[in-house]
Amino acid sequence: MNTAKKIKVLIVDDESIVRKGLRSTVSWEKFGMEVVADAPNGLKAWEAFLEHRPEVVITDIVMPEMDGIELSRKVKEAAKDTKIILLSCHRDFEYAQQGIRLGASGYLLKTAFEDEELEEMLGKFERELTAPVSAAPQDGERLETLLFAWLNGHNDKFASELAQLHKDQWHYGGQPLHIYLIRTAECDLSWGELVRAAAQNERSITEGSLIPYGEEYCYWVVPDTLREAADGLLVECKSKCGKLQWSRRGSLMHSDDLKEAFQALHKEAELERIYGVSGEDWPEPIWKAVHLLHANPAADWSASDLAEEVGLSRSHFSILFKKAVGDSFIAFQYKRKLRLASGLLRDTALTMQEIAERTGLGDSKYFSKWFKRCTGQTPSHYRSEQQKGDVSRTN
């Protein structure tokens, strides 16, 4: 294949002999590919994925830190077109089925597969990845990577680039800007496809301002003079797909305003994902209350404080909260803090004191007692069980 741009490959396996073997024995050049990185576990692989944005990921299933199934899920959420091959020493058909459901392209036994089997997959990937497509601009792909990494706490390169974007690409004569987060879940069409289906002039309104964000989301930066046209286009597209949803932050004049808007829209989308509802499904004061709780995890909100913040009496707030959310305010707080604490124990190396502070649960001693009362396990035992879970599944 004669092309200047190689297809990037990431190899992930906790056995160095497997990583070295795949690097050295496969004729990557034959398929127009190059191995840009390899990693010994899922967490390091995720970091490498965000850095290199490979089009092909070959990963072991059972690994420490993060297994191949979870890695595949995160990769597919970030870049749906990435090709994934799962590897295993065992016939883990249950895992394989999980992987295929997530969008993995194939499954190979490390101890049994033939070179021809892998090469057949790579050849197929080459044909698919080099076929002509109406892809987003390369700059949009780069911004997608930076934005995803920033919003998920991996680095702040996107935030540092916003000021320059605001001066150049998003200047629009110094107009105020509006940022839309568009959600196309269940539409069976991307935002670009919906625009074309609505027979609108996509190029004139979206060029240079659209940032894809995984499979079902995109951010859209629009100058004030195009605000009405943007709203009209969204309504037109919603007539083609009733499931289309969007949120907006507007009249943004400074790069700091843009940063806050991106983060606020992201947090709102996370709440919708966690609870399966949108701001339209809950009364506005309740949606605002839940947003405040998640935006300030260490804050010790009482029902009275939160009711006052959203403009309701305590009794009205409590009744409305239980009706909308399905849990009392106290039960909701209990579940939210437990979910946050469990995630920090599972996915970070933070100390018990740091987790106690981040969850608003006082000091490490109180946090340990509270967590054990909630789960029947001490935090250290829970963390230990989670970390060795991948290993135990191989026995």
Side-chain angles (χ1 to χ4, degrees):
M1 176 181 164
N2 184 20
T3 178
K5 185 179 179 181
K6 301 289 187 187
I7 296 170
K8 292 175 286 187
V9 179
L10 169 64
I11 298 172
V12 192
D13 199 293
D14 58 347
E15 297 180 56
S16 61
I17 190 170
V18 174
R19 301 197 304 274
K20 291 177 181 177
L22 285 171
R23 267 186 176 273
S24 60
T25 61
V26 176
S27 302
W28 300 107
E29 286 285 339
K30 175 181 174 181
F31 304 101
M33 298 179 179
E34 64 174 340
V35 178
V36 293
D38 62 60
N41 61 59
L43 282 180
K44 290 189 179 297
W46 178 236
E47 293 173 2
F49 177 83
L50 292 173
E51 179 181 354
H52 298 284
R53 203 68 175 192
E55 292 93 347
V56 177
V57 175
I58 301 175
T59 179
D60 191 10
I61 290 179
V62 180
M63 297 181 294
E65 304 296 336
M66 179 195 297
D67 66 25
I69 299 300
E70 177 64 10
L71 174 63
S72 298
R73 184 187 66 78
K74 292 171 75 69
V75 165
K76 281 295 184 178
E77 284 181 354
K80 65 174 182 177
D81 294 328
T82 306
K83 309 297 182 182
I84 299 175
I85 297 176
L86 299 172
L87 302 175
S88 179
C89 287
H90 310 286
R91 294 191 176 276
D92 297 322
F93 292 119
E94 182 180 344
Y95 288 126
Q97 289 170 351
Q98 281 183 262
I100 298 302
R101 283 196 296 270
L102 287 169
S105 301
Y107 174 75
L108 297 173
L109 283 171
K110 286 190 284 188
T111 54
F113 79 79
E114 302 290 338
D115 290 345
E116 292 79 5
E117 194 176 1
L118 175 59
E119 292 191 357
E120 182 179 342
M121 288 188 185
L122 297 178
K124 181 173 181 287
F125 295 166
E126 180 195 13
R127 292 189 295 274
E128 292 174 350
L129 291 167
T130 57
V133 293
S134 55
Q138 284 189 9
D139 191 52
E141 181 180 319
R142 184 179 65 84
L143 287 177
E144 178 185 7
T145 302
L146 294 178
L147 178 60
F148 192 93
W150 175 57
L151 290 176
N152 288 276
H154 296 288
N155 64 57
D156 60 357
K157 292 180 181 178
F158 181 85
S160 63
E161 190 161 324
L162 267 179
Q164 193 61 44
L165 281 169
H166 198 200
K167 287 180 182 178
D168 300 331
Q169 188 174 337
W170 298 348
H171 187 260
Y172 297 110
Q175 296 180 51
L177 300 180
H178 302 265
I179 300 178
Y180 294 82
L181 176 56
I182 301 169
R183 297 176 287 283
T184 57
E186 300 181 59
C187 285
D188 297 324
L189 293 172
S190 68
W191 170 237
E193 290 167 336
L194 282 170
V195 168
R196 288 189 287 276
Q200 296 287 333
N201 185 349
E202 175 191 5
R203 183 181 179 86
S204 66
I205 192 168
T206 66
E207 186 176 77
S209 60
L210 198 66
I211 307 177
Y213 191 81
E215 185 175 353
E216 298 175 344
Y217 294 83
C218 67
Y219 287 87
W220 189 20
V221 181
V222 174
D224 196 56
T225 52
L226 287 178
R227 160 79 189 283
E228 288 187 12
D231 287 342
L233 180 57
L234 284 159
V235 171
E236 176 73 10
C237 289
K238 192 170 179 67
S239 71
K240 306 294 181 182
C241 176
K243 297 291 187 179
L244 180 69
Q245 293 182 312
W246 62 89
S247 302
R248 182 184 65 83
R249 294 293 185 276
S251 300
L252 309 169
M253 292 297 297
H254 307 289
S255 57
D256 284 344
D257 297 333
L258 294 173
K259 285 194 287 187
E260 290 178 7
F262 275 110
Q263 290 172 326
L265 289 168
H266 175 68
K267 286 177 181 176
E268 189 172 301
E270 282 293 286
L271 291 181
E272 292 182 9
R273 182 182 63 80
I274 292 171
Y275 298 109
V277 298
S278 70
E280 298 174 355
D281 299 318
W282 284 346
E284 185 177 350
I286 301 305
W287 181 257
K288 183 179 178 182
V290 173
H291 193 281
L292 285 169
L293 289 170
H294 281 269
N296 304 279
D300 189 19
W301 293 96
S302 69
S304 298
D305 292 338
L306 209 52
E308 183 178 352
E309 187 71 26
V310 300
L312 296 175
S313 69
R314 186 190 183 286
S315 60
H316 188 199
F317 171 76
S318 297
I319 293 169
L320 196 59
F321 192 96
K322 176 68 183 296
K323 183 178 179 181
V325 179
D327 282 321
S328 68
F329 176 74
I330 293 175
F332 179 86
Q333 280 282 69
Y334 167 92
K335 293 178 181 178
R336 182 183 68 86
K337 288 180 180 289
L338 182 59
R339 181 169 50 244
L340 177 60
S342 299
L344 292 173
L345 287 167
R346 182 182 62 246
D347 300 329
T348 76
L350 293 174
T351 66
M352 299 305 163
Q353 181 61 36
E354 290 170 328
I355 294 175
E357 292 171 359
R358 290 200 183 194
T359 53
L361 288 166
D363 59 22
S364 59
K365 187 175 181 180
Y366 175 78
F367 168 68
S368 294
K369 289 182 178 178
W370 177 86
F371 191 87
K372 185 174 182 180
R373 188 171 67 247
C374 292
T375 67
Q377 293 180 294
T378 64
S380 56
H381 183 255
Y382 174 83
R383 171 175 275 173
S384 175
E385 288 295 306
Q386 293 296 310
Q387 289 176 346
K388 71 181 183 181
D390 289 336
V391 176
S392 65
R393 283 201 296 268
T394 66
N395 296 332

